[in-house]
Amino acid sequence: MQNSLLLSSALGLMTGLSLIVAIGSQNAYLLRLGVTASRSVMLPVVTVCALSDAVLIIAGVAGVGALVQSLPVVMTVIRALGAAFLIGYGVLAAKRALKPTAMVVGAGTGRGADAGGDAGQARRSLVSVLLTVLAFTWLNPHVYIDTVVLLGSLAQHQTHPWWWAAGAILSSFIWFYALGFGARMLRPLFEKPRAWQILDVCIAVIMFVLGLRLLLGF
């Protein structure tokens, strides 16, 4: 019995990782943030991302996936809002890429915002980052499809659906914490303005492509 439960969890873990470890808008944003931000900023950010996934996966296993599929109007609204957000962020990334000399590690919500600065400004920066990452999560229809619909449906076909879901949830925590804190190892590379320019160009392209895909409905 115990081996069966562990196997279900392991399968859920591998399935979750196969879906989440991909180049997407949320991962691109977290990569950039992970390079610049301090641990005090990244901890609540990656925790919010992982908990959001957990909520969506639990909703899917509980049967909300069928409800989501039966409300195309809601998904259309989310798609429109998500597309506008992604394209808008893509424009900001493109603007940053045009001014690479202004990009330094520790700017904005990074070390400069946390080290000896105004505590009120640091709190405002953290709130801004949290709102942004929540938008990347909850305004992305693909997140609902991957978690609520797909993972929820797969869980229903498992012998131990909730153990399988626990493995999928664990995959989200592993990935977001690894990405958020692992990105710090790239800091020496991003001391060069050219590296920031290349990263922001890539982010802009990702945001534009995903935003247009949402607008076109595929």
Side-chain angles (χ1 to χ4, degrees), residues 107-182:
T109 57
R111 289 177 290 184
D114 288 298
D118 179 18
Q121 179 62 39
R123 284 193 296 271
R124 287 192 294 271
S125 297
L126 177 57
V127 170
S128 175
V129 169
L130 288 174
L131 290 175
T132 300
V133 81
L134 284 171
F136 273 119
T137 301
W138 293 92
L139 291 182
N140 184 358
H142 294 296
V143 171
Y144 294 90
I145 294 172
D146 287 346
T147 55
V148 178
V149 178
L150 182 55
L151 289 179
S153 298
L154 290 174
Q156 301 303 324
H157 295 86
Q158 307 301 315
T159 306
H160 308 287
W162 287 108
W163 281 84
W164 189 91
I169 291 172
L170 179 60
S171 72
S172 293
F173 277 87
I174 291 174
W175 171 251
F176 286 124
Y177 278 84
L179 177 63
F181 292 104

Side-chain angles (χ1 to χ4, degrees), residues 17 48 51 79 99 110 145 153 217:
L17 286 174
V48 164
L51 288 177
R79 181 182 294 113
K99 299 179 180 180
I145 294 172
S153 298

Side-chain angles (χ1 to χ4, degrees), residues 55-70:
V55 170
L56 291 168
I57 292 171
I58 291 172
V61 178
V64 178
L67 178 62
V68 171
Q69 290 178 304
S70 67

